[in-house]
């Protein structure tokens, strides 16, 4: 039985924790047998999932397209999915969603939540895509807030979250893990690529509103990239959206992206509106030693300081404990699937 999860070429802590959390939860249980696969933590229920004789779904989510064509037949066993939006899209009953499986970090001795007196400081964890054209480390330096690289070793990032008093979370798993370790968190938006559907899928499971603070761009290249996202289907942030609208928008976008012409259109549009302009600006900056980002860094720093002043969200203990108990029951059921 083999764990399946998304592996970024450059690393991403929210995905990378799959490499060891399952062995910590069920020591010696998993192997490299690809005939039976378990879909783990992440937005991974898509048509890109590899074939297997048996699939077991545990706390995975929907967020980017269609599931495999045979999803739900006798070769699939869904123990639970991440949230109610994933369940609705997959046609599953309400008792099939719990919450994101990263909440189980709370049950591991290595990540026991610390007391308030043992925690200090404010950290900012951006989405890994924000590193492509952003200047967020410089923004954090100016704001006096610790920058945590989401592409760093997963345990290192998680310990940073565990020891913080407040987590400013552009990366959704920064908020999920903060909540699991009982650290207040503030949801942020660095670009329109931040996925409202996914955030609502999770926040609905902890009875917490999703009210992100929009930081804006941290560089000229990031600003231009953000403005182009809607033209090639990567605008996922839906301001002031409720669940109903998020589900409708997801279905509409999914249908559009399934058109025969979409892939070619997306490639050409992304090339013309993002890749070429991005390369041109970077070349000009380097050749003429220009700094075109100060205004963006100043504005983003001001917004980050505003976010730092917020009290932060934290799910109620009783709801969180109930979710963890249900996840543990799911782990027990998973242990009997082999």
């Amino acid at each position: 039985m083999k764990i399946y999860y998304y592996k970024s070429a450059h690393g991403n802590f929210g995905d990378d924790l799959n490499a060891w959390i399952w062995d910590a939860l069920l020591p010696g249980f998993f192997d490299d047998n690809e005939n039976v696969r378990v879909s783990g933590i992440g937005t991974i229920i898509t048509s890109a999932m590899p074939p297997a004789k048996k699939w077991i779904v545990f706390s995975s989510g929907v967020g980017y397209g269609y599931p495999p064509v045979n999803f739900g037949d006798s070769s699939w066993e869904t123990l639970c999915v991440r949230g109610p939006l994933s369940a609705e899209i997959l046609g599953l009953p309400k008792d099939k969603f719990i919450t994101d499986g990263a909440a189980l970090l709370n049950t591991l001795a290595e990540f026991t939540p610390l007391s308030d007196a043992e925690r200090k400081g404010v950290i900012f964890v951006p989405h890994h895509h924000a590193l492509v054209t952003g200047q967020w480390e410089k923004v954090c330096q100016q704001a006096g807030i610790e920058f945590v690289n989401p592409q760093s070793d997963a345990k290192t990032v998680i310990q940073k979250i565990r020891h913080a008093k407040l987590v400013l979370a552009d990366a959704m798993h920064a908020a999920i893990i903060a909540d699991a370790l009982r650290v207040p968190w503030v949801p942020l938006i660095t670009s329109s690529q931040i996925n409202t559907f996914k955030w609502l899928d999770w926040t609905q499971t902890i009875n917490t509103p999703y009210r992100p603070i929009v930081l804006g761009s941290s560089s000229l290249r990031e600003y231009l990239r953000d403005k182009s996202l809607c033209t090639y289907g990567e605008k996922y942030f839906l301001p002031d959206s409720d669940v109903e609208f998020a589900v409708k928008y997801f279905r509409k976008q999914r249908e559009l992206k399934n058109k025969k012409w979409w892939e070619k259109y997306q490639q050409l549009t992304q090339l013309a509106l993002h890749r070429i302009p991005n390369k041109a600006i970077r070349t000009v900056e380097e050749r003429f030693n220009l700094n075109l980002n100060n205004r963006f860094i100043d504005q983003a720093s001001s917004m980050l300081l505003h976010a730092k002043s917020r009290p932060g969200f934290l799910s109620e203990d009783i709801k969180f404990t109930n979710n963890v108990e249900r996840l543990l029951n799911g782990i027990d059921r998973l242990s009997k699937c082999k």
Side-chain angles (χ1 to χ4, degrees):
M1 185 177 292
K2 188 173 183 177
I3 289 289
Y4 170 75
Y5 62 96
Y6 176 74
K7 297 180 182 179
S8 169
H10 302 289
N12 179 37
F13 76 102
D15 299 310
D16 296 344
L17 63 84
N18 282 284
W20 44 262
I21 190 173
W22 301 103
D23 285 329
L25 294 166
L26 290 172
F29 181 75
F30 297 97
D31 53 36
D32 289 327
N33 179 9
E34 296 181 349
N35 288 323
V36 182
R37 291 182 181 267
V38 177
S39 68
I41 296 163
T43 308
I44 53 178
I45 303 178
T46 72
S47 57
M49 299 173 82
K53 291 182 178 179
K54 178 74 175 181
W55 268 104
I56 300 170
V57 178
F58 189 89
S59 81
S60 313
V62 170
Y64 301 108
Y66 289 92
V69 292
N70 68 329
F71 181 87
D73 70 14
S74 59
S75 66
W76 289 80
E77 183 172 359
T78 301
L79 298 180
C80 62
V81 292
R82 179 176 57 209
L85 283 73
S86 288
E88 180 169 346
I89 291 297
L90 295 170
L92 299 171
K94 291 182 178 181
D95 64 356
K96 285 296 184 180
F97 74 82
I98 303 178
T99 194
D100 192 281
L104 287 167
L105 286 167
N106 179 278
T107 68
L108 302 181
E110 185 176 1
F111 304 109
T112 300
L114 301 175
S115 68
D116 187 65
E118 295 174 286
R119 295 186 279 109
K120 63 180 181 180
V122 178
I123 66 173
F124 169 59
V125 189
H127 189 281
H128 64 103
H129 284 151
L131 304 184
V132 177
T133 54
Q135 296 288 318
W136 291 104
E137 192 163 5
K138 291 183 179 179
V139 171
C140 285
Q141 289 173 354
Q142 184 163 312
I145 292 169
E146 183 178 358
F147 172 85
V148 177
N149 190 326
Q151 295 177 338
S152 298
D153 172 74
K155 288 191 176 183
T156 299
V157 176
I158 294 168
Q159 289 293 357
K160 290 280 189 181
I161 292 171
R162 179 172 175 250
H163 283 83
K165 276 193 177 293
L166 180 68
V167 174
L168 305 180
D170 182 47
M172 186 176 77
H173 269 99
I176 292 171
I177 292 168
D179 201 77
L181 305 184
R182 313 317 288 152
V183 179
W185 48 274
V186 176
L188 304 178
I189 300 291
T190 55
S191 81
S192 298
Q193 201 167 25
I194 304 304
N195 195 318
T196 298
F197 179 97
K198 289 166 53 176
W199 275 87
L200 286 174
D201 196 32
W202 170 61
T203 56
Q204 288 287 300
T205 69
I206 59 170
N207 296 342
T208 301
Y210 178 48
R211 297 172 184 160
I213 295 173
V214 178
L215 296 179
S217 302
S218 63
S219 72
L220 176 60
R221 290 194 295 128
E222 187 174 37
Y223 173 81
L224 294 176
R225 176 179 180 272
D226 184 54
K227 295 304 178 185
S228 71
L229 290 171
C230 62
T231 63
Y232 49 86
E234 291 191 25
K235 178 185 180 297
Y236 300 118
F237 175 51
L238 309 173
D240 303 316
S241 173
D242 58 15
V243 170
E244 182 179 0
F245 180 80
V247 169
K248 286 182 179 178
Y249 183 85
F250 174 84
R251 284 178 167 148
K252 181 179 179 181
Q253 288 294 101
R254 188 172 68 172
E255 183 178 352
L256 175 65
K257 293 179 181 182
N258 202 47
K259 302 291 186 183
K260 292 182 179 180
W261 50 264
W262 175 261
E263 185 176 357
K264 190 67 175 178
Y265 162 82
Q266 184 183 43
Q267 291 173 349
L268 292 173
T269 308
Q270 190 176 45
L271 177 66
L273 298 181
H274 168 53
R275 296 188 185 280
I276 292 176
N278 179 63
K279 185 176 181 179
I281 293 172
R282 185 171 57 187
T283 300
V284 169
E285 287 177 328
E286 293 173 353
R287 180 170 298 178
F288 297 101
N289 196 28
L290 295 177
N291 186 343
L292 306 175
N293 302 320
N294 284 343
R295 178 172 63 88
F296 294 99
I297 291 173
D298 288 345
Q299 292 175 347
S301 176
S302 177
M303 290 305 299
L304 200 60
L305 285 171
H306 168 64
K308 177 183 176 182
S309 70
R310 308 303 297 169
F313 294 96
L314 192 64
S315 64
E316 294 184 358
D317 287 342
I318 189 169
K319 179 60 177 176
F320 176 77
T321 300
N322 179 258
N323 282 342
V324 170
E325 288 177 352
R326 292 182 64 204
L327 285 172
L328 288 173
N329 287 336
I331 289 291
D332 183 60
R333 290 171 59 199
L334 176 59
S335 70
K336 298 172 182 176
C337 290
K338 200 166 185 178

